Amino acid sequence: MNVDLLPLMLPMGMRRLLAIITLLAAIGIVGMITVYGYEFWYEAWSRNWKSDTVWGVRLWIPYLALPVGFTLYLIQLLADLVALLLRIDTPFSLPEDK
């Protein structure tokens, strides 16, 4: 299922602007989650949190997935923004208007 009705209706200039605004909003949100994920991981690591199970796993190990995963996603979003700004990629990967 494709939800690209609005970008298809817009001319290329507006389509590019919509893509830039969308990417900047995503970068802001993912950046915020990355920072809070790092703080959460660091708190678990510095306070030596352990699970309440018999195994007693150190919780910083699974919590590390938050900052690492969101950092990688943030890098991908930044690469998409740069590709869009340098006109390497088209907005929403739709073909250029002829």
Side-chain angles (χ1 to χ4, degrees):
M1 181 169 165
N2 228 352
V3 192
D4 55 1
L5 183 61
L6 183 61
L8 281 173
M9 293 173 47
L10 294 173
M12 184 51 76
M14 292 298 291
R15 195 182 295 173
R16 185 172 301 282
L17 180 65
L18 179 63
I20 290 171
I21 290 171
T22 303
L23 280 170
L24 288 174
I27 287 169
I29 292 168
V30 170
M32 184 174 55
I33 294 172
T34 303
V35 169
Y36 284 121
Y38 171 77
E39 288 177 359
F40 187 57
W41 166 81
Y42 183 75
E43 190 171 349
W45 179 74
S46 65
R47 295 184 181 185
N48 200 24
W49 288 355
K50 295 184 179 178
S51 68
D52 293 333
T53 62
V54 175
W55 185 23
V57 67
R58 295 174 304 230
L59 290 176
W60 70 265
I61 297 169
Y63 291 167
L64 185 61
L66 279 170
V68 169
F70 277 104
T71 299
L72 292 173
Y73 186 37
L74 186 62
I75 292 169
Q76 180 62 53
L77 287 171
L78 290 170
D80 289 344
L81 181 62
V82 168
L84 186 64
L85 292 175
L86 295 178
R87 300 185 187 276
I88 296 170
D89 195 11
T90 59
F92 305 103
S93 296
L94 295 173
E96 296 265 351
D97 292 338
K98 298 290 180 192

